[in-house]
Amino acid sequence: SGGASLAKGCSCYMRPIIFFSKMDFSQSNLFGYIEDLQELTIIERPVRRSLKTPEEIERLTVDEELSDIERAVYLLSSGQDIQGTSVVANLPVLMRQNPAETLRRVLPKIREVLHVAGVEMQLTAAVSFLTVLQEESVSIHTYSHSFLHIILQNLEHRDAGVSSAWLETLLAVIEALPKETIRHEILNPLVSKAQLSQTLQSRLVSCKIMGKLANKFEAHIIKREILPLVKSLCQDVEYEVRTCMCRQLEHIAQGIGTELTKTVVLPELVELARDEGSSVRLAAFETLVNLLDMFDADDRSQTVLPLVKSFCEKSFKADESILVSLSFHLGKLCNGLYGIFTPEQHLRFLEFYKKLSTLGLQQENGHNDNQLQLQTLEQEKKYVSVRKNCAYNFPAMIVFVDPKNFHLELYSIFFCLCHDPEVPVRYTMAISFYEVAKLLNSGVYTIHKELVTLLQDESLEVLDALVGHLPEILELMTNGGENSGSESKLLSIPDLIPALTTAEQRAATSLKWRTHEKLLQKYACLPHIISSDQIYYRFLHRMLTIILTNNVLPVQKAAARTLCVYLRYNRKQEQRHEVIQKLIEQLGQGKSYWNRLRFLDTCEFIMELFSKSFFCKYFFLPVLELTHDPVANVRMKLCYLLPKVKSTLKIPTDKHLLQQLELCIRKLLCQEKDKDVLTIVKRTVLELDRMEISVDAFQKRFYENDLLDQEKERQEQLLLEMEQLEKGKQQNDGRSTSINDKIFEKKRRDSKTSSVLAKSITLSVPGSSSATSAGKEDKKSKLVRSQSFSTQALHPKYSNIDKCPNKSSATGYTSSVSGMGKSCMLSFSDDSFRTHSSGNSGNAAFPSSSSRNLFNSADQKNGGNKESQSRKMSM
């Protein structure tokens, strides 16, 4: 194949030589052809180099009869480096299999080899030693006796990466070693290793070890044996050592307690904060911020606060790296010193934060353009980091100024950070948006424009960060916090629906399908946020289009589940029937087998979200029709789904459906020609035979499932009753207005018959009013029943999931219907809709029989009152 590809390549490059009229013999083109041919020869070089000579193969061959221990010893003694590295990497396995022989024969060989080993074997050994410790293959006493000396010997390796790897292993070992072993093996040699006469690397290692030892000994031992070394290293001549020791003071302070920290550590930090080295000052500042909780009010006001103020004043004149660290710790610093701030200092730190939040967005005056160009790239990166840190600290700054003062003090900064030209800043704001919304609570309406802006951001990374908590954000926005009394769900966010549709379309046209999938999953929360009609016209058909046209399977499944959620909470029977018909015709009976596979996925979500009776009424037979599908993959997927399909049946109500299922399985067993499908059919038949079908009455073994299913049925029926009540109200309102108009017109035309008309009016109007009042009494009884269901089965948190479309009516009837609308929804969180049954859900309020014809009541207009009364009695 290599020769064939080479021949094709040569013919491709030599083809221009045949057409002499098109050939350009200029020097540049000639060298171009030669370079192309050289590239072709390079392709085969790795193949030739990878071949081994017989001598090399002989040298790499090992006797197969050797045991694992003998093979390891042989490879460490006479093998090549790569073989020795393999043995070292396999050390934890050898320790698990035969720890005694491994310690006696293999470990001494590893110790010898490590003296002359390369970097790769050293790094592998450090990891293997740590793995042996974590797996506890031997006791800690045996481990310290066998492994600790090897770790200490390689601790000061000339390669910094190797030394760091061994140091990490040692620090992990210190956690498990007993105090006496640490004192004799580590602490005593540490005194000599920390002296100025030792190498720089040795003193740096000593700093990190002392930070680890501070938590292993009592305070008096630390004060007597460790603190003198700490002081000498804090005053080391090398700034790297002072910086390293300064960062370890946090661990040492936690080990020695508050009193010694105040008398020993704090003076050292104050001195280091005034060091000539910028990295030392930076380390001192960060350590001070991390130790704020250990200082009392006097230390904070008299020592820490002056240092912080000087840091902030000098930060713009010093290196920008200090500015980056300062912006990162500013939120923690402001809240840590909050109690000792004067109003003037409080305002000064707030202004400092505002200045950092817009750093680099305006060009400062007094600089030459050439100087700016030289510093632009490096400074711009640091300025972006500063603004990103300000976005990270924004929730902390809201706490600092109090959420009540957000609009006055911080809204302008919030606006700037959400519209920042750099993606990392907007990304950080999108991540922290939910925290900001929670802190603002009832004042969350002030940031709705920024939510729309981030939803329409040009970067999909920003959208992905925002979508993570989108359901919670939208809930806070539409509810307006605890104190909101807004009637309209979209009053606070008028541009929400266009922003959501734009975000979905941008994610769909990108190559980042995971963001699109995540967004579709989160959009399942929209029945909680906006009305049923808005979902139907703006989102539901879009989900169906995605299922039919998208090429990514996870995206299609996410859209299918979200579509089922929308269908579950749709409040108009006509719209529900339309969607069901499209699912069956365009997916279940679609020309593409891919659509028919997605139909089966959709049916799984239907069984999860809807009641058993709903699935059996609309989807049971269309699913069984796919047993005759011409594509084997569709029949195979259907066979996997059949146990779930059978679990939706109830006996004796669905006896005819059970017969249809058994008939389809017999046909599959008799007529199936594909071997793989036939195997799955036989396996499915065995599983179906073991299944038990629930009956209409409650049974203990099916109690929980029946309970959930009847709750779903009740809520599906409540949707139907709500629709009937709304239609009845509209008809009554229309009939009463038309009667009054006709009567008024007759009065105007014929004044002579006014007395007769008056009699007819007095006869007809009271009759109609009495009928209306009787109808209202019947409707009120339904409302009472639906509200009793909601108190039994619905979670109070999401009791206001959806309202009736007619929100402008001032009648008490409309408000009662809206109350029922609030109570008829399932409680859910994020995009997962689960029913929650309360402790009283098993009482006599449940119907004794299954309500099979849930959607027939709306079609049968005649005799509707009788049906509603019979349902009421059964309830």
Side-chain angles (χ1 to χ4, degrees):
S1 62
S5 63
L6 182 61
K8 291 179 181 178
C10 289
S11 63
C12 176
Y13 285 112
M14 295 302 291
R15 191 174 299 141
I17 298 177
I18 300 174
F19 303 98
F20 293 101
S21 60
K22 297 181 181 180
M23 189 64 186
D24 185 3
F25 291 100
S26 63
Q27 187 174 5
S28 60
N29 285 340
L30 188 58
F31 282 124
Y33 294 132
I34 294 175
E35 290 175 359
D36 292 338
L37 292 174
Q38 287 176 348
E39 288 179 2
L40 289 174
T41 59
I42 291 173
I43 293 175
E44 288 199 352
R45 286 181 186 174
V47 179
R48 293 170 183 162
R49 288 175 180 173
S50 64
L51 299 177
K52 299 294 182 183
T53 62
E55 293 79 9
E56 291 174 330
I57 294 174
E58 181 66 25
R59 192 163 56 249
L60 293 171
T61 303
V62 181
D63 190 359
E64 294 181 359
E65 296 180 359
L66 294 177
S67 64
D68 292 340
I69 300 295
E70 293 174 345
R71 184 183 299 108
V73 173
Y74 172 78
L75 292 176
L76 289 170
S77 301
S78 58
Q80 295 188 358
D81 288 343
I82 189 172
Q83 292 174 318
T85 303
S86 176
V87 172
V88 174
N90 202 41
L91 180 63
V93 178
L94 296 176
M95 289 295 299
R96 288 195 297 267
Q97 294 175 351
N98 195 345
E101 285 297 309
T102 303
L103 293 175
R104 188 176 68 86
R105 300 183 60 186
V106 179
L107 194 60
K109 285 290 183 182
I110 292 177
R111 185 173 185 171
E112 293 176 6
V113 172
L114 285 178
H115 284 294
V116 294
V119 172
E120 186 176 357
M121 186 180 292
Q122 289 276 354
L123 295 174
T124 305
V127 175
S128 294
F129 281 26
L130 181 59
T131 304
V132 172
L133 173 71
Q134 294 170 344
E135 292 180 352
E136 299 180 355
S137 302
V138 293
S139 64
I140 191 61
H141 176 75
T142 305
Y143 186 90
S144 61
H145 178 74
S146 304
F147 291 88
L148 185 58
H149 291 288
I150 304 176
I151 296 173
L152 293 173
Q153 284 177 359
N154 296 278
L155 198 59
E156 298 180 20
H157 195 274
R158 60 183 178 274
D159 186 275
V162 172
S163 177
S164 177
W166 283 113
L167 179 61
E168 292 298 324
T169 302
L170 178 63
L171 296 179
V173 172
I174 289 174
E175 288 290 335
L177 290 177
K179 291 182 180 179
E180 289 302 318
T181 304
I182 295 175
R183 179 188 289 272
H184 292 295
E185 300 293 340
I186 299 174
L187 183 57
N188 291 340
L190 193 64
V191 177
S192 61
K193 295 290 184 181
Q195 301 301 319
L196 278 173
S197 58
Q198 296 294 322
T199 62
L200 173 63
Q201 185 177 353
S202 177
R203 303 203 299 277
L204 290 173
V205 169
S206 300
C207 293
K208 295 179 181 179
I209 293 175
M210 272 189 280
K212 198 70 174 180
L213 295 180
N215 295 322
K216 299 296 294 184
F217 294 102
E218 293 78 7
H220 67 278
I221 297 178
I222 297 174
K223 183 178 180 181
R224 185 178 69 248
E225 300 186 16
I226 295 180
L227 287 184
L229 296 176
V230 170
K231 289 183 177 181
S232 66
L233 290 171
C234 285
Q235 298 171 1
D236 197 277
V237 295
E238 298 291 342
Y239 75 92
E240 294 100 329
V241 179
R242 299 198 300 274
T243 302
C244 185
M245 193 66 249
C246 187
R247 296 193 180 279
Q248 299 302 318
L249 288 178
E250 179 183 351
H251 306 292
I252 293 170
Q254 294 171 355
I256 62 179
T258 306
E259 292 299 324
L260 281 176
T261 299
K262 182 177 180 179
T263 57
V264 178
V265 175
L266 185 56
E268 293 294 334
L269 281 174
V270 172
E271 186 176 352
L272 290 169
R274 298 165 180 158
D275 196 274
E276 60 183 6
S278 61
S279 62
V280 181
R281 296 196 303 270
L282 180 61
F285 169 74
E286 293 177 351
T287 305
L288 273 172
V289 174
N290 294 331
L291 292 177
L292 275 178
D293 295 336
M294 300 189 69
F295 301 139
D296 55 23
D298 292 337
D299 291 333
R300 294 181 189 180
S301 60
Q302 298 175 8
T303 306
V304 179
L305 183 56
L307 285 174
V308 173
K309 287 172 62 178
S310 64
F311 242 86
C312 295
E313 291 170 358
K314 297 177 182 178
S315 58
F316 286 98
K317 301 177 183 178
D319 186 13
E320 282 81 4
S321 59
I322 297 178
L323 207 59
V324 172
S325 177
L326 182 61
S327 63
F328 180 77
H329 292 91
L330 192 60
K332 185 176 181 180
L333 187 64
C334 289
N335 287 280
L337 299 175
Y338 181 82
I340 64 171
F341 278 152
T342 63
E344 182 183 356
Q345 291 169 342
H346 187 282
L347 183 60
R348 183 179 300 175
F349 272 87
L350 180 59
E351 292 299 324
F352 181 70
Y353 172 76
K354 292 180 179 179
K355 188 175 182 180
L356 291 180
S357 299
T358 57
L359 185 65
L361 296 181
Q362 302 93 7
Q363 293 291 343
E364 297 182 4
N365 296 326
H367 288 282
N368 192 356
D369 292 340
N370 294 331
Q371 293 177 351
L372 288 174
Q373 290 177 358
L374 294 175
Q375 300 175 357
T376 296
L377 293 177
E378 186 177 355
Q379 280 190 346
E380 183 61 28
K381 291 180 181 179
K382 292 179 180 179
Y383 289 162
V384 171
S385 299
V386 169
R387 300 200 302 273
K388 179 183 176 182
N389 291 338
C390 289
Y392 167 78
N393 282 304
F394 196 86
M397 296 307 295
I398 292 179
V399 177
F400 181 63
V401 302
D402 196 307
K404 297 177 181 178
N405 302 323
F406 167 78
H407 193 274
L408 182 64
E409 300 288 351
L410 286 177
Y411 176 73
S412 60
I413 298 302
F414 184 76
F415 178 85
C416 291
L417 291 174
C418 288
H419 291 80
D420 195 275
E422 297 297 329
V423 172
V425 181
R426 303 197 305 273
Y427 175 85
T428 308
M429 287 304 297
I431 290 178
S432 61
F433 198 95
Y434 175 52
E435 296 296 327
V436 173
K438 282 197 302 183
L439 290 171
L440 294 181
N441 198 4
S442 59
V444 71
Y445 65 91
T446 57
I447 60 173
H448 70 275
K449 293 181 180 178
E450 285 68 35
L451 173 62
V452 173
T453 299
L454 292 176
L455 280 172
Q456 296 174 332
D457 195 277
E458 60 183 9
S459 173
L460 281 179
E461 296 177 4
V462 177
L463 178 62
D464 186 82
L466 185 67
V467 163
H469 288 287
L470 186 63
E472 296 88 347
I473 294 170
L474 292 178
E475 180 186 354
L476 289 170
M477 285 285 180
T478 52
N479 293 337
E482 298 176 355
N483 302 323
S484 174
S486 62
E487 296 180 358
S488 176
K489 291 184 177 183
L490 293 177
L491 185 63
S492 59
I493 317 179
D495 300 329
L496 175 63
I497 293 179
L500 291 173
T501 54
T502 301
E504 189 277 324
Q505 289 169 1
R506 288 192 62 257
T509 55
S510 71
L511 296 178
K512 297 182 179 180
W513 63 265
R514 288 180 177 85
T515 299
H516 193 200
E517 177 196 11
K518 182 179 177 181
L519 186 139
L520 293 176
Q521 290 171 349
K522 299 298 181 181
Y523 275 18
C525 74
L526 291 183
H528 181 184
I529 308 300
I530 59 180
S531 68
S532 176
D533 283 340
Q534 289 166 328
I535 289 176
Y536 176 77
Y537 290 111
R538 300 300 294 270
F539 295 98
L540 195 147
H541 291 286
R542 173 61 182 165
M543 297 300 154
L544 183 60
T545 303
I546 293 172
I547 301 172
L548 291 169
T549 60
N550 198 281
N551 296 325
V552 182
L553 179 59
V555 172
Q556 288 180 311
K557 286 189 174 182
R561 192 185 190 283
T562 302
L563 183 144
C564 293
V565 172
Y566 293 165
L567 180 64
R568 173 69 182 83
Y569 294 101
N570 187 280
R571 300 177 63 175
K572 291 187 178 180
Q573 184 181 5
E574 183 180 353
Q575 294 177 357
R576 288 193 296 270
H577 284 168
E578 178 190 347
V579 175
I580 291 170
Q581 185 177 2
K582 286 185 177 181
L583 287 175
I584 295 173
E585 291 178 356
Q586 299 182 21
L587 288 180
Q589 300 170 1
K591 295 181 180 180
S592 171
Y593 84 97
W594 190 255
N595 290 339
R596 301 195 294 276
L597 288 174
R598 300 295 72 77
F599 176 72
L600 295 176
D601 292 330
T602 306
C603 288
E604 285 194 73
F605 299 132
I606 292 288
M607 287 185 279
E608 174 191 346
L609 296 170
F610 289 80
S611 63
K612 295 178 180 179
S613 57
F614 181 91
F615 177 81
C616 289
K617 181 177 180 180
Y618 293 104
F619 292 95
F620 192 93
L621 294 178
V623 167
L624 292 187
E625 288 178 4
L626 294 179
T627 55
H628 309 291
D629 196 275
V631 179
N633 284 349
V634 178
R635 301 195 301 275
M636 188 182 300
K637 188 174 182 67
L638 173 63
C639 292
Y640 283 120
L641 192 63
L642 285 178
K644 287 186 178 180
V645 172
K646 185 179 179 181
S647 67
T648 62
L649 299 175
K650 288 184 179 180
I651 299 299
T653 307
D654 300 322
K655 187 175 181 181
H656 64 291
L657 295 179
L658 180 61
Q659 293 174 352
Q660 292 289 332
L661 176 63
E662 293 173 349
L663 180 62
C664 291
I665 293 174
R666 289 194 191 99
K667 288 183 178 179
L668 282 173
L669 285 172
C670 298
Q671 301 176 5
E672 184 58 51
K673 298 179 181 179
D674 189 279
K675 295 181 180 179
D676 297 330
V677 178
L678 187 59
T679 303
I680 297 170
V681 170
K682 293 178 180 178
R683 192 187 310 161
T684 305
V685 168
L686 297 176
E687 187 176 352
L688 292 173
D689 288 341
R690 290 192 296 266
M691 286 183 62
E692 298 183 17
I693 303 179
S694 62
V695 296
D696 287 340
F698 264 16
Q699 294 174 286
K700 289 184 178 180
R701 54 188 170 181
F702 302 121
Y703 179 76
E704 292 184 2
N705 292 332
D706 289 346
L707 203 64
L708 295 174
D709 184 64
Q710 292 213 4
E711 187 174 335
K712 292 176 183 177
E713 282 191 23
R714 271 200 317 280
Q715 291 166 2
E716 291 166 4
Q717 186 163 345
L718 285 176
L719 286 174
L720 287 170
E721 291 182 358
M722 284 178 59
E723 184 180 1
Q724 291 176 356
L725 291 175
E726 290 172 0
K727 288 181 178 179
K729 179 182 179 301
Q730 292 173 0
Q731 291 175 358
N732 289 335
D733 292 343
R735 188 180 300 115
S736 62
T737 54
S738 63
I739 290 174
N740 292 331
D741 292 340
K742 289 179 180 178
I743 292 172
F744 179 76
E745 192 67 22
K746 287 179 181 179
K747 280 184 177 182
R748 189 179 62 81
R749 289 180 180 177
D750 193 0
S751 59
K752 294 180 181 180
T753 58
S754 59
S755 60
V756 179
L757 286 174
K759 291 181 181 179
S760 65
I761 291 171
T762 56
L763 291 175
S764 62
V765 172
S768 62
S769 64
S770 63
T772 305
S773 63
K776 287 185 177 180
E777 291 297 327
D778 187 19
K779 294 165 187 173
K780 286 182 179 178
S781 66
K782 291 182 180 180
L783 290 174
V784 171
R785 184 180 64 209
S786 66
Q787 290 171 355
S788 67
F789 291 157
S790 67
T791 56
Q792 291 173 359
L794 295 182
H795 198 283
K797 180 179 179 182
Y798 298 112
S799 60
N800 57 347
I801 287 176
D802 209 352
K803 298 181 181 178
C804 288
N806 187 7
K807 299 183 176 65
S808 61
S809 176
T811 63
Y813 176 80
T814 305
S815 62
S816 65
V817 173
S818 299
M820 184 181 71
K822 292 178 181 180
S823 65
C824 74
M825 294 291 109
L826 283 171
S827 64
F828 62 94
S829 176
D830 274 343
D831 59 332
S832 177
F833 293 77
R834 302 285 184 184
T835 54
H836 299 274
S837 56
S838 64
N840 299 328
S841 57
N843 57 19
F846 293 108
S848 59
S849 62
S850 173
S851 301
R852 172 61 65 212
N853 298 321
L854 295 179
F855 294 93
N856 287 343
S857 57
D859 296 332
Q860 298 172 357
K861 296 182 179 179
N862 297 327
N865 292 331
K866 293 181 180 180
E867 289 182 0
S868 63
Q869 291 174 1
S870 64
R871 283 199 299 272
K872 178 180 176 183
M873 296 301 294
S874 66
M875 291 293 180

